[in-house]
Amino acid sequence: MQFSPAKLLMIFPSTLRGGVEEYNLTVSRGAVRHGWNVHAAFPNVEGTASLIQDFIDSGINYHPLAIAEDKTWLPGSARHLPRFLRTLRLLASLKPDVVQITLPAPDCCFASILACAVLNIPTVVRFGLIPPIESPINTWRVKTYSWVRTRQQRWIVISQNNCRLLSKRFQIPEDEITCIYNGAKPAKDLSATVSQKIKARQQLLSELNVPDNTKLLLTVGRLDFQKGYDDVIPAVPHIVREFPNVRFVWVGDGDLRADLEARLRKYQVADKVFLLGYRSDVPDLLQAADLFVFPTHFEGGQSFAIAEAMAAGLPIVTSDASGIPEVIHHTRHGIVFLTGDSCDLLESVRWALTHPDEMTVMAEDARVHAQDFTEDDMIQNYVDVWQRLCETSVNSSQPSAPLLHTDRA
């Protein structure tokens, strides 16, 4: 008889809403569809208010958990202990069959990972963002992580590039790390998508109060240095001078907003770039746009934004950061430029705008390629991992059968 786990607990430390948070919501909704009793625990702060409501509206039980990383100079134990105890109390009261901890950065959630290990709860640790910059990991942390992985824990990354980085960073064999790519919902019906595109485009043009012939260059991502918005700004004056009908649309929020707005004013292009903040209608915006520009400096993999743009059939210009070249092949699925290179970004966007027919062909190839990275496949892969962890836990907890001796003295 197949074991059917009753309870999944999703833990993450987010205080703002972005790609990691949408991933957690998507996977949690998928788990509900697969019959799991899903719970989610993350900080209850202003930046997560809409996220909390979306979890609740999706039939997911929400639990406030104050485990956000702080920037204090306290010793490690003083910083980790409160988060460890909060996680421990939640685990003890909730008694989940399996936990998934999603890390926005590789050093996050140490206390929660440790709490799961102490209670020996089957746990998936999903690493999203692993910067390529080497930062020192002390021997004690490496040894501790080596121990927690013996406590029914499975570590997951979202690209082969990140598998290599994580292996090197924590001294783990690559074959002990599982790779599950991000996935997005495919466009179900082409005619319906065309109709939706026309409607979405008209709505966005009206909202922005721009002419019908405007070319909309969309970027989706947190307003953070990691996302590479600073690389786009020097290119904007050149683009809008050569293509007066181009406007840039940036979707996302973050601490860098005021600085970006100041730089746009300095370059005298503030009226050419629309900062829309967080939006719940990203699929509609993807349908409305003419080009997807993704200047990120590093990602966990191809990112949810890239996966969604591919599935939407939107032409893509992206940096070659992290695992993106694993899914976007240059001049086949989109145009790939050198990470952090504003000049290469400028030339890539310029080429895309002057070669619309070629970009349309690439976008269609990317849309077909996106079927290899679907949301359903991604969720099924996680369900399989949770299921195996739970089954292993049940089998290991059962007493061994007595040995039957058939030989006689």
Side-chain angles (χ1 to χ4, degrees):
M1 183 175 65
Q2 187 179 22
F3 174 72
S4 179
K7 198 174 294 182
L8 166 69
L9 173 61
M10 303 285 289
I11 292 177
F12 51 99
S14 303
T15 57
L16 289 173
R17 188 164 185 171
V20 171
E21 295 69 41
E22 297 307 319
Y23 155 84
N24 279 285
L25 181 59
T26 297
V27 171
S28 297
R29 285 169 169 167
V32 170
R33 292 196 299 271
H34 279 263
W36 292 67
N37 177 10
V38 184
H39 297 248
F42 53 92
N44 183 358
V45 295
E46 181 180 356
T48 61
S50 67
L51 185 67
I52 292 170
Q53 190 59 53
D54 282 349
F55 268 90
I56 294 172
D57 291 344
S58 300
I60 298 160
N61 302 279
Y62 170 70
H63 305 269
L65 185 61
I67 55 171
E69 303 291 329
D70 52 45
K71 299 180 180 179
T72 65
W73 292 97
L74 293 172
S77 57
R79 285 186 290 111
H80 296 312
L81 184 59
R83 295 193 286 266
F84 172 79
L85 293 175
R86 291 171 194 140
T87 305
L88 205 65
R89 284 195 293 268
L90 178 62
L91 295 172
S93 63
L94 197 57
K95 295 180 174 59
D97 293 288
V98 64
V99 175
Q100 176 159 320
I101 303 175
T102 303
L103 311 186
D107 297 333
C108 291
C109 290
F110 172 73
S112 295
I113 293 171
L114 189 59
C116 290
V118 167
L119 295 180
N120 200 26
I121 297 173
T123 303
V124 169
V125 182
R126 188 263 198 183
F127 292 80
L129 184 63
I130 305 178
I133 302 172
E134 291 288 342
S135 56
I137 299 294
N138 61 49
T139 304
W140 175 81
R141 177 71 70 94
V142 170
K143 289 182 177 179
T144 303
Y145 276 141
S146 178
W147 173 75
V148 302
R149 289 192 305 110
T150 68
R151 304 286 288 176
Q152 303 191 84
Q153 294 203 5
R154 176 74 63 84
W155 285 17
I156 289 178
V157 293
I158 56 178
S159 73
Q160 295 299 331
N161 176 73
N162 272 17
C163 183
R164 292 187 290 271
L165 291 173
L166 188 66
S167 171
K168 182 178 180 181
R169 188 182 183 95
F170 291 107
Q171 302 173 28
I172 303 168
E174 289 186 26
D175 60 6
E176 294 183 12
I177 303 170
T178 301
C179 179
I180 299 178
Y181 286 96
N182 284 336
K185 292 180 179 178
K188 302 283 185 188
D189 181 82
L190 185 58
S191 61
T193 301
V194 170
S195 173
Q196 181 184 5
K197 182 179 179 67
I198 294 173
K199 180 180 178 181
R201 183 173 179 81
Q202 289 174 341
Q203 289 178 340
L204 183 56
L205 291 172
S206 176
E207 176 185 343
L208 302 179
N209 194 27
V210 294
D212 291 345
N213 68 339
T214 302
K215 293 288 185 182
L216 301 174
L217 277 55
L218 176 67
T219 301
V220 178
R222 293 189 328 277
L223 301 184
D224 184 271
F225 80 95
Q226 170 219 339
K227 295 299 182 179
Y229 287 100
D230 281 332
D231 301 332
V232 181
I233 293 176
V236 174
H238 301 280
I239 294 296
V240 297
R241 183 166 56 247
E242 187 172 349
F243 306 93
N245 62 332
V246 163
R247 294 294 181 270
F248 291 79
V249 179
W250 294 353
V251 175
D253 223 331
D255 297 335
L256 204 61
R257 183 177 186 122
D259 291 338
L260 291 174
E261 290 174 336
R263 289 200 68 199
L264 290 169
R265 289 193 296 270
K266 179 181 177 181
Y267 278 81
Q268 300 181 358
V269 291
D271 61 331
K272 312 299 184 183
V273 181
F274 295 91
L275 280 70
L276 303 188
Y278 167 76
R279 297 285 291 243
S280 61
D281 59 343
V282 170
D284 291 335
L285 299 178
L286 290 167
Q287 295 294 335
D290 296 283
L291 184 67
F292 189 75
V293 180
F294 199 61
T296 184
H297 286 181
F298 50 89
E299 290 291 321
Q302 87 275 33
S303 91
F304 255 113
I306 285 284
E308 289 179 335
M310 291 172 67
L314 179 61
I316 295 171
V317 173
T318 178
S319 71
D320 63 355
S322 305
I324 291 175
E326 295 176 30
V327 293
I328 299 290
H329 301 152
H330 181 53
T331 69
R332 181 177 177 185
H333 307 115
I335 300 300
V336 180
F337 61 86
L338 296 174
T339 300
D341 190 329
S342 290
C343 292
D344 199 24
L345 184 157
L346 169 60
E347 291 306 316
S348 297
V349 172
R350 178 182 284 136
W351 191 94
L353 291 172
T354 54
H355 295 80
D357 292 341
E358 290 90 336
M359 292 302 299
T360 298
V361 172
M362 293 182 209
E364 176 58 20
D365 285 344
R367 189 190 67 81
V368 173
H369 188 40
Q371 295 173 14
D372 296 329
F373 308 97
T374 68
E375 180 182 298
D376 288 344
D377 287 342
M378 175 188 69
I379 292 170
Q380 184 60 60
N381 286 332
Y382 280 105
V383 168
D384 291 343
V385 172
W386 303 330
Q387 190 77 36
R388 285 195 297 269
L389 279 174
C390 290
E391 290 171 349
T392 301
S393 176
V394 169
N395 291 336
S396 64
S397 66
Q398 292 176 347
S400 301
L403 295 176
L404 300 179
H405 297 280
T406 57
D407 56 326
R408 294 179 181 273

